[in-house]
Amino acid sequence: MAGKTYPRLIRPPGQSFFLLGVRGVGKSSWARARFPDAPRIDLLDEARYQDYLADPSLFAADLQSAAPGSWVVVDEIQRLPNLLNEVHRHIEDRRFNFALLGSSARKLKASGVNLLAGRALHKTMHPLTPAELGDDFDLDAALDTGTIPLVWVADDRRAVLESYVRLYLREEIRAEGLVRNLPGFARFLPVAALHHGQVVNISGIARDCGVARPTLQGDMDNIEGTQL
């Protein structure tokens, strides 16, 4: 199934919006298909990221040629939350509409920046649904490795999923210093997966993982905040 794509049911609203979702869920691909002619600013581009970090006014310079009322796609907005002040200004002054893509709601909320209240809707892109997968939907496979597109279309889903979790632990958890006991958090993840769709018993899961209840509660909050 490698290389196969699936049409997503989510539709863009008629005004600026945040589109949040886990890594590999398909936000960037969806935005390219929905806004093929829109200027696109990718903050994973390290050179551009460093330029904006040093001088946010370059953002305005890069959009100078865009017509008033244009759509603009900004990818990985959580990498530079302060850029939202420039986004706000362009919404007000030039009536731009922005599709603001991000993989970490926690980073945006924790940064205490301008979240464009009333000027940008908040949307979430979830993994593939049975309706989107159509005849390719397989309940056993969905329960085993999930339906994140990056994993679903892989030839070896389990290997890709394991790599995905390692990346999550390295970049979202360890790099951000979200937990003090990283081995305990790594043990917690598969136990939490077994309780998916159930009423969560924090004390019981804490016993299974061998961690204190307050620590387990913090781990649950981190999973919710990083949208794993």
Side-chain angles (χ1 to χ4, degrees):
M1 248 187 272
K4 185 168 184 178
T5 59
Y6 296 90
R8 306 309 303 265
L9 297 179
I10 186 171
R11 296 290 182 266
Q15 67 173 87
S16 296
F17 63 97
F18 290 92
L19 181 61
L20 303 176
V22 298
R23 296 172 185 269
V25 81
K27 301 181 299 294
S28 299
S29 298
W30 175 86
R32 288 191 191 96
R34 287 289 173 178
F35 305 103
D37 301 320
R40 183 171 179 268
I41 294 173
D42 185 359
L43 295 178
L44 279 181
D45 181 335
E46 194 61 26
R48 175 172 266 177
Y49 167 77
Q50 294 292 342
D51 287 344
Y52 287 169
L53 190 63
D55 184 2
S57 69
L58 293 174
F59 180 80
D62 285 344
L63 296 179
Q64 191 170 11
S65 61
S70 296
W71 275 96
V72 178
V73 176
V74 182
D75 209 347
E76 298 294 341
I77 184 62
Q78 82 282 345
R79 293 200 73 200
L80 203 53
N82 287 334
L83 204 60
L84 290 169
N85 289 326
E86 284 294 308
V87 169
H88 185 167
R89 188 166 68 85
H90 280 72
I91 291 174
E92 294 296 323
D93 294 349
R94 302 190 63 190
R95 302 303 178 195
F96 281 1
N97 288 301
F98 286 87
L100 303 162
L101 316 183
S103 59
S104 177
R106 184 200 61 79
K107 287 182 182 179
L108 286 174
K109 294 173 183 176
S111 62
V113 295
N114 179 358
L115 292 179
L116 309 175
R119 296 174 179 83
L121 303 179
H122 288 242
K123 300 290 183 180
T124 301
M125 178 170 280
H126 298 285
L128 292 162
T129 65
E132 291 168 334
L133 287 168
D135 292 339
D136 287 342
F137 178 70
D138 182 320
L139 180 59
D140 290 337
L143 292 174
D144 183 42
T145 54
T147 61
I148 294 173
L150 178 70
V151 176
W152 185 265
V153 301
D155 292 328
D156 188 340
R157 291 173 179 165
R158 183 157 292 280
V160 172
L161 180 60
E162 290 173 354
S163 176
Y164 183 98
V165 172
R166 287 195 296 271
L167 177 68
Y168 169 76
L169 288 171
R170 183 175 70 248
E171 295 194 6
E172 295 286 350
I173 301 300
R174 185 175 64 188
E176 295 296 321
L178 296 182
V179 298
R180 295 181 180 179
N181 183 0
L182 191 62
F185 185 82
R187 292 195 302 272
F188 158 68
L189 289 178
V191 176
L194 292 174
H195 290 78
H196 182 69
Q198 301 178 31
V199 176
V200 176
N201 183 333
I202 298 293
S203 298
I205 297 176
R207 285 194 300 271
D208 291 342
C209 298
V211 299
R213 190 184 190 284
T215 300
L216 194 283
Q217 183 62 64
D219 290 344
M220 293 291 291
D221 292 342
N222 285 325
I223 280 188
E224 182 177 356
T226 53
Q227 300 190 59
L228 181 65

